[in-house]
Amino acid sequence: MTYIENVFICMASPLLIAALCMGKRQAKVFLFCLAGMGSCLLSAYINTFFTAFYGADTFAATAEIAPVVEEVMKLLPLLFYLLVFEPKAEQIRNAAVITALSFATFENICYLIQNGAGHFTFIFFRGIGTGAMHVICGAIVGGGLAYVWRRAWLKIAGACGLLGAAITFHAIYNLLIAYGGAVQYIAYLLPVLILTAGKLIARRLTT
């Protein structure tokens, strides 16, 4: 884990400098990048703890523990942003997606460090699939919160429901990957197809 910590410091340092040097509006982007990568690092520690605490095998840790921990950790910076700064709907959606993308980027880097970069095709599909999956989860939570946060009676129930939806999608993705074989590559392609379909539908609705 020490190597991952060093990588985080090397990646976070330029982002922190950029956040300090840029204007207030641009600084938020870099801060959410830091929040996403920091959430990924903390998720690794928490996943390891719960895996050891429950004596879970690799399959259970991947399909049951990791989705819950990772989605909760990605939600926390967003909730802080909502409670302290009261952003607009578009800002909420952007913050959620940036956090999710940064989380996925650091997760891919950690995977490369632990497993090497010898198989380009597998790494390519994994990187694209994992990134798309985290973006979808971020869009579910961010887009939903942009709606429910304006309604006091929906805040808590809505946030819990959105978190549950993101965890479910994340768990299905991880479950298919853990199955291995051709199913694994289907899992990598599934979020990409869903994201593409979503963009096409959104484009048609706005035209």
Side-chain angles (χ1 to χ4, degrees), residues 39-53 56 61 64-70 73 103 107:
S39 297
C40 185
L41 182 63
L42 292 175
S43 294
Y45 293 136
I46 298 171
N47 283 334
T48 302
F49 170 77
F50 280 117
T51 299
F53 182 80
E64 299 174 14
I65 296 175
V68 178
V69 172
E70 292 179 9
M73 292 303 297
F103 190 105
E107 186 178 72

Side-chain angles (χ1 to χ4, degrees), residues 9 62 96 117 147 160 172:
I9 293 171
T62 301
Y147 175 80
C160 291
I172 292 171

